[in-house]
Every structure is written in structure tokens, then in C-alpha cells.
Amino acid sequence: SGCGCWGGSEKMAHGKHLKILGYGDVNALSDVQGVPDTLTAVIEGLGMRLLGGPHVHDVELDIKKMSCEPFEDEGGVTAVAVLSTSHCSVHTWPLRRYFVMDIYSCRTFSTDVVEKILVDKWNAEQLKITDLSESLVPLPPKVQEVPAVTSIG
């Protein structure tokens, strides 16, 4: 990896992983150019390097499927970006004024910067920011099983 995630012991650094849920402006959350622009603003604001994307998909509203749960085909925008240190993604549900963003990097970053950008760009409110970083603690080394010796000679 080009991010310095791997050390001589081949253990991954702790890193940081956030899941952000919130409500925002319906027009901003349905803007197929604005959503990836906001994702890019978050990435740049955190000083991360974009390698690819954001790849964007405009999920069309399908009236026939709107009674399905959860959230099926209510329209929205999905954007995914590949970073030198991992990834950043978002999906919006404009009819509910709702979005979910996921940011992971093997380096640490500022939660406050993300929150400020989302408030500025999307008028985000009722943000629920969950830090999943504890799940990034490296696993202990796998113990190699030694095959049983059945005969000598």
C-alpha cells in the first residue's frame, strides 16, 4: 500500500473509520453533481489523496417500488471514491432528506472537519457519527498448525 499502512511487522496501523448518518437539504442530496462535489470537499478537507472517482450513480425514483422497505428505489445519489489510504462513500435518500457516509483511512483524520463540511454543504443536522475504529485493531498473529507426524523413517 502506498499509504504507509504497513510496517516492517506487516501489521496494519489502527486507522480511523467513521459512519455518518444525518439529514440534509433535499435539493443538495438529490444533486447528482453536488453530492460527489461534497464527497471531494470532505476528502480534500481531510488532506487525503483521491486516486479514483468519485464514481457516481444517480438512483432513479421507481414509484412502483416505493412501498417496499427499507428504502427501495426511492431515488438518490451514490458516490464512491478510492483514496490512497482507503475509501470514502455516500448514499442519499432525498425524499427522506437522509444520507449515510462512510469514511475509512489507515491514517487518522478530523471528525470535526467532516462535520463542518457536511453542515456547510448540505445544511446537515441530527448527525450521528459513529467511530468504528476500534474494529481496526490488528488481529493477533495466526498460529501455524503443525501437521502431526505419523511415522519416522
Side-chain angles (χ1 to χ4, degrees):
S1 160
C3 68
C5 299
W6 302 96
S9 67
E10 292 303 308
K11 285 187 178 180
M12 191 168 139
H14 188 74
K16 188 165 185 173
H17 191 176
L18 295 183
K19 187 74 70 176
I20 304 158
L21 291 71
Y23 292 96
D25 177 76
V26 66
N27 293 317
L29 296 179
S30 60
D31 183 348
V32 76
Q33 264 95 40
V35 169
D37 287 350
T38 297
L39 196 63
T40 300
V42 167
I43 293 164
E44 291 173 353
L46 294 174
M48 296 179 178
R49 186 165 51 103
L50 185 61
L51 295 180
H55 176 75
V56 183
H57 184 71
D58 186 4
V59 181
E60 293 188 26
L61 178 66
D62 187 343
I63 302 285
K64 296 178 291 209
K65 295 183 179 179
M66 281 189 59
S67 62
C68 297
E69 284 292 332
F71 299 100
E72 180 141 352
D73 293 324
E74 292 185 14
V77 179
T78 297
V80 180
V82 177
L83 309 175
S84 63
T85 56
S86 197
H87 70 272
C88 186
S89 62
V90 66
H91 184 76
T92 68
W93 290 269
L95 292 180
R96 296 182 189 229
R97 297 184 48 241
Y98 188 67
F99 68 90
V100 176
M101 182 175 280
D102 182 75
I103 307 170
Y104 169 65
S105 175
C106 61
R107 293 183 180 164
T108 192
F109 55 89
S110 171
T111 303
D112 293 339
V113 168
V114 177
E115 186 172 356
K116 180 182 181 334
I117 292 169
L118 293 175
V119 169
D120 289 348
K121 297 277 190 181
W122 290 347
N123 197 27
E125 57 188 17
Q126 295 182 18
L127 290 173
K128 178 180 177 185
I129 301 174
T130 305
D131 190 335
L132 304 169
S133 299
E134 193 61 35
S135 67
L136 302 174
V137 173
L139 294 171
K142 183 176 179 182
V143 176
Q144 295 288 334
E145 292 186 27
V146 178
V149 177
T150 55
S151 66
I152 299 178

